[in-house]
């Protein structure tokens, strides 16, 4: 019985020893596992913090990138807005310049119409007409050019506004992205609950940069186009106003020259008319003197003829052809000849007077024609043109 008990105790002791060892192993294993877990927790925590730190750095870098692009976009937006304002102001100037062409053109056409009212003999295609036609052509050409400039400026303003819209849209999206990234940088594990997930199409960083670069490049292109257009329009405004002023001055000079020529011609005619009237009066006086001479000679002829008739009543023996008789006969002959000559002179004088009257009427008619032309050019056209001033556009 003692042997059996000893054997049993030995077995129990061996079992207990194994259990103890197993427990020890399990405890050690558990300790090791806990240590591994602690290490894993520590590493996970460090990794998490490192990852979050890297995330924050990347987010901060991203925000700085966005801010940089935002500044470039804002600068370009300011430039394009300024260009739009300048182009609008320039377009307003062009529109005013186009409006300023209306009155000069109206007056030029009016002057051409007024000059068509001149009498047929004066309705010549003179220097004034040529300058007026050139003036009309110049003004119409300027107006047509300015209209095309307005259309080009309108189109450029539209293109600038389109570039402005793209920049503003890009800036708005950059602002939203910056806000989101700023929020992301400030997020904690506690702020996730309120986050609403939204999914959008993704672009690569290169594509992201290219979007803004394209918008900036387009804005820069439109800015350069605006600068070129502005320089062109400024030059056109200066040149067109100078051309109109030069042509207006040329037409005015032609008017003044023509007025002087008409006045000179009219003055010469008036001088001739005065001389004709003086000559006509002198011719009338000489005609009267001739009539008096005819009458006096007729009286003398009558006296001579009466003497001859009376001497024929002498006695037959006394009717000799004495010197007195010869003298009386010669006197009658001479007086008859003189009367004939005087009557011819009277007829010629009347003919001269009729010719002078014709000259007088012709001169008076021509003077009236010149006066009409002078009134049209010096008064009517001058009154139309006087208020017109071609200013610099």
């Amino acid at each position: 019985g003692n042997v059996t008990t000893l054997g049993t105790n030995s077995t129990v002791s061996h079992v207990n020893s194994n259990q103890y060892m197993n427990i020890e192993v399990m405890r050690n294993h558990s300790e090791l596992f806990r240590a591994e877990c602690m290490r894993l927790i520590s590493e996970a925590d460090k990794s998490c913090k490192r990852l979050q730190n890297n995330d924050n750095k990347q987010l901060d870098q991203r925000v700085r990138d966005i801010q940089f692009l935002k500044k470039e976009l804002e600068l370009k937006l300011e430039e394009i807005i300024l260009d739009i304002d300048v182009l609008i102001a320039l377009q307003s100037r062009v529109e005013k310049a186009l409006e300023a062409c209306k009155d000069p053109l109206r007056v030029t056409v009016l002057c051409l119409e007024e000059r068509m009212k001149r009498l047929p003999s004066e309705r010549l295609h003179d220097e004034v007409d040529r300058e007026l036609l050139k003036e009309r052509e110049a003004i119409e050409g300027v107006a047509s050019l300015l209209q095309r400039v307005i259309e080009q400026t309108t189109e450029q303003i539209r293109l600038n506004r389109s570039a402005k819209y793209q920049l503003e849209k890009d800036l708005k999206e950059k602002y939203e992205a910056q806000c989101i990234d700023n929020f992301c940088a400030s997020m904690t594990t506690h702020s996730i609950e309120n986050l609403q997930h939204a999914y959008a199409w993704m672009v690569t960083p290169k594509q992201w940069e290219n979007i803004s670069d394209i918008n900036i490049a387009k804005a820069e292109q439109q800015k350069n186009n605006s600068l070129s257009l502005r320089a062109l329009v400024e030059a056109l405004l200066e040149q067109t106003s100078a051309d109109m002023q030069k042509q207006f001055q040329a037409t005015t000079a032609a008017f003044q020259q023509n007025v002087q020529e008409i006045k000179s011609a009219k003055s010469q005619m008036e001088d001739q008319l005065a001389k004709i009237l003086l000559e006509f009066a002198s011719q009338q006086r000489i005609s009267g003197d001739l009539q008096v001479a005819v009458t006096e000679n007729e009286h003398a002829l009558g006296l001579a003829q009466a003497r001859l008739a009376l001497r024929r009543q002498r006695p037959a023996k006394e009717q000799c052809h004495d010197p007195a008789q010869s003298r009386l006969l010669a006197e009658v002959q001479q007086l008859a000849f003189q009367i004939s000559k005087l009557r011819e002179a009277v007829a010629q004088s009347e003919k001269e007077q009729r010719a002078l009257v014709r000259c007088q009427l012709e001169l008076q008619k021509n003077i009236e024609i010149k006066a009409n032309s002078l009134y049209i050019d010096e008064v009517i056209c001058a009154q139309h043109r006087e208020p017109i001033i071609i200013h610099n556009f």
Side-chain angles (χ1 to χ4, degrees), residues 115-316:
R115 296 192 94 241
M116 285 300 292
K117 296 175 185 176
R118 291 174 296 169
L119 295 169
S121 61
E122 289 286 292
R123 207 177 297 150
L124 307 171
H125 188 56
D126 57 10
E127 188 63 23
V128 176
D129 270 347
R130 282 190 287 274
E131 292 298 337
L132 279 170
L133 288 170
K134 282 162 67 178
E135 187 172 276
R136 183 179 70 181
E137 184 181 352
I139 297 171
E140 286 175 343
V142 167
S144 175
L145 184 60
L146 291 176
Q147 184 59 50
R148 289 200 299 275
V149 167
I150 288 172
E151 290 168 5
Q152 286 179 337
T153 310
T154 302
E155 176 60 15
Q156 188 57 56
I157 289 170
R158 187 192 69 78
L159 291 171
N160 285 9
R161 282 175 172 159
S162 174
K164 172 177 170 279
Y165 169 78
Q166 292 299 331
L167 289 172
E168 286 173 337
K169 182 183 176 186
D170 200 355
L171 267 171
K172 183 187 174 197
E173 289 173 353
K174 292 286 182 292
Y175 174 76
E176 290 174 357
Q178 184 181 348
C179 288
I180 289 170
D181 284 348
N182 279 331
F183 180 72
C184 286
S186 66
M187 277 177 66
T188 64
T189 53
H190 303 293
S191 56
I192 298 174
E193 296 172 3
N194 299 324
L195 188 65
Q196 293 182 353
H197 295 284
Y199 298 95
W201 62 279
M202 303 294 288
V203 295
T204 65
K206 187 65 179 173
Q207 289 173 328
W208 177 79
E209 285 181 13
N210 282 344
I211 291 168
S212 293
D213 288 344
I214 289 168
N215 288 334
I216 290 169
K218 283 182 179 178
E220 182 66 23
Q221 180 62 50
Q222 296 311 325
K223 176 192 166 187
N224 292 334
N225 292 347
S226 297
L227 285 171
S228 300
L229 181 62
R230 277 160 53 191
L232 174 66
V233 173
E234 288 285 359
L236 280 175
L237 287 174
E238 185 178 348
Q239 187 62 48
T240 50
S241 62
D243 289 347
M244 281 178 62
Q245 287 166 356
K246 184 179 177 182
Q247 184 54 52
F248 195 81
Q249 288 165 2
T251 307
T252 301
F255 263 112
Q256 291 170 347
Q257 180 65 27
N258 195 54
V259 165
Q260 290 304 315
E261 289 173 2
I262 293 172
K263 282 182 175 178
S264 177
K266 182 170 172 282
S267 178
Q268 289 176 11
M269 289 180 190
E270 286 168 344
D271 289 344
Q272 286 293 328
L273 178 61
K275 290 174 183 177
I276 289 289
L277 291 172
L278 283 172
E279 184 58 32
F280 181 76
S282 298
Q283 197 61 243
Q284 280 185 320
R285 283 195 298 272
I286 201 70
S287 179
D289 291 344
L290 285 168
Q291 290 286 2
V292 170
V294 167
T295 301
E296 288 176 351
N297 276 264
E298 285 176 342
H299 288 160
L301 178 61
L303 177 60
Q305 287 173 340
R307 284 172 176 172
L308 281 172
L310 188 58
R311 292 197 84 210
R312 287 193 202 99
Q313 294 177 16
R314 288 178 298 166

Side-chain angles (χ1 to χ4, degrees), residues 90-103:
L90 188 61
Q91 187 181 44
S92 177
R93 277 178 62 197
V94 178
E95 287 170 350
K96 286 176 182 175
L98 181 60
E99 187 66 26
C101 290
K102 289 182 180 178
D103 271 351

Side-chain angles (χ1 to χ4, degrees), residues 344-357:
E344 283 179 9
V346 167
Q348 184 62 35
S349 176
E350 289 173 350
K351 185 179 178 183
E352 291 292 334
Q353 287 179 58
R354 287 194 295 275
L356 287 169
V357 167

